């Protein structure tokens, strides 16, 4: 494969994005004078994010009597991790819910604090940060790039998979692990002696199938709905890190809404995020149960001693990456969690 066809493919894709943005610079669907919200995400519909997005659509359309329409583009059907932020900024979509790990790449490394391994012991811990003053401050910062941060919601804790059990730090040596575009996650695998490969979520299954990568990490709901079990013989319930999302809107779109419409959208989103948070845990448990039933992948649980060794092995990530995230912020988070 040469670089040239890829480069021209990327140019064509960007030109297409620009054309979409030009053709649809406003969100009014003229004939019925309705407002259209295009909401893109990269996961399957039966995941916590997919279900919360569908709930948002139902609530907005019901509460606006159909005056506001929400079109959901699930499963990276229009935009994947590499171009969805650009699509949002150009106005080709109005809303997204990227994982928090994907904001570092666009200039917000502070969001990568959520990727620090073994930082959170429970979802309650996560909420003390995301739903507290630190989380609110991070959302406000998104304004720097013409984005409006509207709220957070959970998927859950990540588990590790490969074609061998990952129980001890040495099990990671030399493994090519697919990672999200987060320097903290890349560092986590590098200190374990693995080779992190950053890929869009939508390419992960294929990369596992073709051997481009040999392992990955995700909550079970993402692992199962992508049928990654077909290419991974072993899954370790490591709970070593967290995946959650921030809902973001294009600021021009947000400001173009009437006060009444903005209130309808905001209240629907609040309720959809509450719903997403309520079902996230059970969706992951359901996915784990289905995976067990399928019998395709061996499931391992870490003993307390194995977990402690893994936790110890990734500690250098804190010193290495605190500066990138913001050392004072990392300290504030740690003090909030363990006063
Ligand atoms: C991933 O890229 O692994 C996840 O962020 C996908 C998602 O949105 O849950």
């Amino acid at each position: 494969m040469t670089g040239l066809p890829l480069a021209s493919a990327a140019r064509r894709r960007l030109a297409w994005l620009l054309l979409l943005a030009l053709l649809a610079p406003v969100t009014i669907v003229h004939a019925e004078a309705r407002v259209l919200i295009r909401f893109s995400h990269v996961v399957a519909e039966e995941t916590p994010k997919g279900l919360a997005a569908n709930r948002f659509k139902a609530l907005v359309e019901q509460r606006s009597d159909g005056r506001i329409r929400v079109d959901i583009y699930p499963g990276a059907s229009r935009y994947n991790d590499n171009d969805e932020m650009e699509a949002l900024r150009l106005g080709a979509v109005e809303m997204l819910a990227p994982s928090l790990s994907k904001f570092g790449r666009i200039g917000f490394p502070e969001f990568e604090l959520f990727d620090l391994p073994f930082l959170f012991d429970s979802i309650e811990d996560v909420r003390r940060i995301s739903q507290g003053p630190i989380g609110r401050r991070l959302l406000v910062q998104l304004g720097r790039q013409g984005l409006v941060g509207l709220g957070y919601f959970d998927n859950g804790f990540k588990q590790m998979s490969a074609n061998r059990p990952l129980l001890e730090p040495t099990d990671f040596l030399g493994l090519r692990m697919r990672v999200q575009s987060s320097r903290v996650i890349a560092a986590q695998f590098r200190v374990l002696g693995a080779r992190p490969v950053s890929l869009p979520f939508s390419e992960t299954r294929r990369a596992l199938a073709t051997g481009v990568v040999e392992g990955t990490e995700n909550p079970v709901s993402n692992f199962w709905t992508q049928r990654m079990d077909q290419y991974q013989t072993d899954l370790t319930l490591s709970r070593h890190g967290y995946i959650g999302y921030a809902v973001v809107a294009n600021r021009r779109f947000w400001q173009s809404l009437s006060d009444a419409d903005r209130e309808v959208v905001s209240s629907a989103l609040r309720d959809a995020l509450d719903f997403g948070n309520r079902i996230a845990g059970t969706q992951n448990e359901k996915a784990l149960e289905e995976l067990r039933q399928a019998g395709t992948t061996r499931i391992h649980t870490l003993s307390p001693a194995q977990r402690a060794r893994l936790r110890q092995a990734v500690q250098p990530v804190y010193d290495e990456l605190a500066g990138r995230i913001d050392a004072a912020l990392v300290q504030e988070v740690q003090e909030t969690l363990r006063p």
Side-chain angles (χ1 to χ4, degrees):
M1 206 194 307
T2 70
L4 207 57
L6 268 184
S8 65
R11 270 202 305 276
R12 271 202 305 280
R13 197 166 169 87
L14 194 59
W16 172 235
L17 278 176
L18 281 167
L19 184 67
L20 278 177
L22 285 174
L23 289 177
V26 282
T27 51
I28 306 296
V29 181
H30 350 270
E32 304 96 342
R34 294 194 316 182
V35 176
L36 173 64
I37 301 176
R38 291 161 297 182
F39 187 132
S40 176
H41 67 78
V42 300
V43 294
E45 291 192 84
E46 316 73 47
T47 56
K49 179 158 65 182
L51 293 168
N54 289 350
R55 175 64 67 108
F56 172 66
K57 170 184 169 69
L59 291 176
V60 168
E61 293 182 352
Q62 179 196 13
R63 290 178 190 175
S64 68
D65 288 325
R67 202 167 27 80
I68 308 177
R69 194 175 98 201
V70 180
D71 286 353
I72 308 280
Y73 306 144
S77 50
R78 287 236 176 153
Y79 304 107
N80 71 17
D81 291 321
N82 283 345
D83 49 26
E84 65 174 13
M85 296 280 197
E86 202 51 20
L88 183 71
R89 278 195 294 232
L90 290 169
V93 294
E94 282 70 37
M95 290 174 76
L96 300 175
S99 79
L100 302 174
S101 322
K102 292 178 185 156
F103 288 88
R105 200 181 69 150
I106 62 157
F108 301 101
E110 303 86 349
F111 279 78
E112 290 183 7
L113 77 87
F114 289 95
D115 295 327
L116 284 167
F118 296 97
L119 177 65
F120 303 111
D121 288 334
S122 62
I123 288 294
E124 289 67 41
D125 264 5
V126 174
R127 301 243 172 98
R128 283 161 70 193
I129 304 304
S130 61
Q131 310 294 338
I134 296 176
R136 281 195 291 278
R137 252 166 32 219
L138 292 181
L139 288 184
V140 170
Q141 287 182 21
L142 295 172
R144 284 205 314 260
Q145 300 242 8
L147 307 177
V148 183
L150 295 172
Y152 297 93
F153 65 117
D154 302 318
N155 186 331
F157 284 95
K158 293 182 287 188
Q159 326 291 0
M160 307 266 201
S161 70
N163 288 318
R164 61 187 192 219
L166 298 172
L167 305 175
E168 297 289 346
T170 48
D171 295 330
F172 291 84
L173 276 181
L175 272 187
R176 290 188 301 278
M177 298 293 287
R178 179 269 167 173
V179 295
Q180 305 183 72
S181 55
S182 154
R183 298 253 187 105
V184 171
I185 301 177
Q188 165 195 279
F189 283 115
R190 224 174 285 115
V191 301
L192 289 170
R195 286 187 280 162
V197 180
S198 171
L199 287 175
F201 181 68
S202 55
E203 289 173 21
T204 304
R205 182 175 193 274
R206 189 169 149 70
L208 288 169
T210 54
V212 169
V213 293
E214 299 159 294
T216 184
E217 53 159 33
N218 238 299
V220 188
S221 55
N222 278 348
F223 181 83
W224 172 245
T225 52
Q226 296 297 314
R227 294 309 310 263
M228 295 186 201
D229 61 304
Q230 292 174 346
Y231 306 106
Q232 298 278 267
T233 55
D234 295 85
L235 179 81
T236 301
L237 301 178
S238 47
R239 286 178 60 86
H240 61 282
Y242 165 80
I243 285 196
Y245 308 107
V247 180
V248 285
N250 172 299
R251 186 168 52 206
R252 266 174 294 130
F253 153 73
W254 194 247
Q255 290 173 346
S256 75
L257 290 174
S258 67
D259 289 350
D261 283 352
R262 203 177 304 116
E263 182 44 35
V264 168
V265 176
S266 301
S267 84
L269 186 65
R270 245 185 336 266
D271 292 348
L273 298 189
D274 275 358
F275 166 77
N277 284 339
R278 277 200 310 279
I279 56 143
T282 45
Q283 277 303 119
N284 278 303
E285 281 161 26
K286 184 164 160 261
L288 182 59
E289 190 44 41
E290 287 170 3
L291 177 64
R292 273 191 218 284
Q293 297 289 329
T296 37
T297 301
R298 287 188 294 264
I299 298 168
H300 309 276
T301 307
L302 291 177
S303 71
Q306 286 169 330
R307 196 174 151 77
R309 283 194 286 275
L310 203 54
R311 185 179 194 135
Q312 185 61 35
V314 295
Q315 281 313 296
V317 174
Y318 283 74
D319 290 336
E320 230 181 86
L321 273 297
R324 168 176 165 84
I325 297 170
D326 173 349
L329 178 63
V330 173
Q331 193 180 347
E332 187 185 348
V333 168
Q334 286 174 316
E335 283 168 5
T336 307
L337 294 176
R338 298 177 243 295

